[in-house]
Amino acid sequence: MTAAADTPAMIEIAGLNKTYDSGFVALRNIDLTIRKGEILALLGPNGAGKTTLISTICGITVPSGGRVLVGGHDIETQPGKTRRIIGLVPQEINIEPFQTVWNAVRFSRGLFGLPPDPARIEEILKTLSLWDKKDEVVKALSGGMKRRVLIAKALSHEPQVLFLDEPTAGVDVELRKDMWRIVDALRDEGVTMILTTHYIEEAEAIADRVAIISKGRILLVEDKDTLMQSMGKRSMSLELASPLETVPQSLEAYGLELSANGLEVTYAFDTRAERTGIASLLRDMSEAGLSVRDIKTAQSSLEEIFVELVERDTGDDESPEAPAMRAEEPA
């Protein structure tokens, strides 16, 4: 369920900047508010600044300017309070390989100074389908199960905010969908989540809002459904009664695409336009002697919108990217 617009902010970012010693500007004037209990998908090409932004909010990377509040606490002046309410699932699997699953999760809870709570750990492991693996050593697990352990470790101290940095990278489709269900259950518990992913369908399936970042700048933040409705294009496929060899000259202005078998033409139109041109297309097709058997429409995907926005962002970087930053900022 999407967080309402009047829901209190969990993360407030104002004027956030990050410039490395090399001169590379990783973040440029980031302003972003993330509401309590929502899932925000942070999308961007490699090197866009996703990982730097997450690392900064989590207190791993020191900002060059601006302010970040998590749960009302400043990440620089109150780091203990902000880290206590943040859980992070990193891209890399960095778990002690000879620990058992149970001990790995129990140890993470202890790092935050919390008293032992076997019942809570049991609940987390069962939620993540890890209960039957609790006594196995981590190195014996599959890659997908190791990622579940990373999530269990991140949840062990009962965070209010959970960062998921490419959580389903390298896992199969079925396991990915299983992870989506887990994320959905966590949202029902009121956990605020920020997800970075290379799988656009992942954002489309589970996110409430989408933030698109490119070259260290936030290009857009919008409710997912609103974004797809306002920026998405639709296509209309018209099945013909008789095949065509070519599109009639009288219809060339519509930019129709003719299928290989000549029995279908596709017309793309902008949902934001005052007139879509559909009525005039159908009239002109009739005048051209074409009979239409069936009409189907399709909405453009979030992936197409994402690609279009990033391609529009043609601004040059203000400083050169140092080779070291390619390793520092892989996402």
Side-chain angles (χ1 to χ4, degrees), residues 145-164:
M145 285 295 169
K146 287 175 182 175
R147 290 204 176 273
R148 289 172 188 255
V149 175
L150 285 176
I151 295 178
K153 284 166 62 67
L155 293 174
S156 64
H157 64 286
E158 302 167 50
Q160 299 174 41
V161 178
L162 183 64
F163 287 92
L164 298 152

Side-chain angles (χ1 to χ4, degrees), residues 279-297:
S280 59
L281 170 63
L282 294 175
R283 182 189 64 241
D284 290 348
M285 288 181 69
S286 178
E287 291 179 359
L290 302 183
S291 177
V292 177
R293 277 185 175 174
D294 193 17
I295 297 176
K296 298 176 183 176
T297 60

Side-chain angles (χ1 to χ4, degrees), residues 52-259:
T52 298
L53 179 57
I54 286 178
S55 297
T56 304
I57 299 171
C58 292
I60 299 169
T61 298
V62 178
S64 303
R67 192 181 190 203
V68 179
L69 301 180
V70 181
H73 306 296
D74 191 294
I75 62 166
E76 293 192 89
T77 62
Q78 300 171 293
K81 289 183 176 179
T82 58
R83 288 173 186 168
R84 169 65 185 82
I85 62 177
I86 290 175
L88 171 63
V89 180
Q91 288 186 42
E92 301 300 324
I93 296 175
N94 53 0
I95 316 168
E96 167 55 50
F98 296 101
Q99 273 189 326
T100 64
V101 171
W102 177 273
N103 284 337
V105 179
R106 179 181 59 83
F107 180 71
S108 288
R109 181 178 175 84
L111 285 176
F112 287 87
L114 296 178
D117 190 345
R120 176 59 180 163
I121 295 176
E122 178 179 343
E123 179 185 357
I124 292 171
L125 295 181
K126 285 181 175 178
T127 298
L128 294 166
S129 300
L130 286 169
W131 182 243
D132 62 336
K133 308 286 186 183
K134 68 181 187 302
D135 296 321
E136 290 191 26
V137 293
V138 170
K139 71 170 188 173
L141 301 178
S142 67
M145 285 295 169
K146 287 175 182 175
R147 290 204 176 273
R148 289 172 188 255
V149 175
L150 285 176
I151 295 178
K153 284 166 62 67
L155 293 174
S156 64
H157 64 286
E158 302 167 50
Q160 299 174 41
V161 178
L162 183 64
F163 287 92
L164 298 152
D165 198 2
E166 300 287 346
T168 59
V171 304
D172 60 51
V173 174
E174 285 307 310
L175 184 54
R176 194 179 307 151
K177 290 180 179 178
D178 196 20
M179 297 279 274
W180 296 351
R181 288 190 287 270
I182 291 167
V183 168
D184 213 33
L186 291 172
R187 174 171 50 189
D188 290 341
E189 294 179 11
V191 178
T192 302
M193 282 169 281
I194 297 85
L195 166 80
T196 73
T197 179
H198 279 98
Y199 301 108
I200 301 293
E201 74 272 18
E202 193 157 65
E204 204 162 349
I206 64 177
D208 298 314
R209 288 197 300 157
V210 173
I212 296 177
I213 185 171
S214 179
K215 299 176 182 177
R217 298 185 296 268
I218 295 289
L219 302 184
L220 172 146
V221 184
E222 186 62 89
D223 287 341
K224 177 189 64 182
D225 294 338
T226 303
L227 174 64
M228 294 182 69
Q229 182 178 5
S230 64
M231 299 197 67
K233 293 182 179 179
R234 296 186 75 90
S235 63
M236 182 172 68
S237 298
L238 301 102
E239 184 184 342
L240 306 175
S242 303
L244 288 176
E245 290 187 6
T246 59
V247 174
Q249 187 175 358
S250 61
L251 300 176
E252 285 182 357
Y254 292 99
L256 300 177
E257 291 186 12
L258 182 64
S259 65

Side-chain angles (χ1 to χ4, degrees), residues 27-57:
L27 300 176
R28 308 170 188 267
N29 259 348
I30 300 288
D31 292 315
L32 180 62
T33 298
I34 302 171
R35 300 188 287 262
K36 180 177 174 59
E38 78 169 327
I39 298 178
L40 177 80
L42 182 62
L43 305 179
N46 287 339
K50 300 188 300 293
T51 298
T52 298
L53 179 57
I54 286 178
S55 297
T56 304
I57 299 171

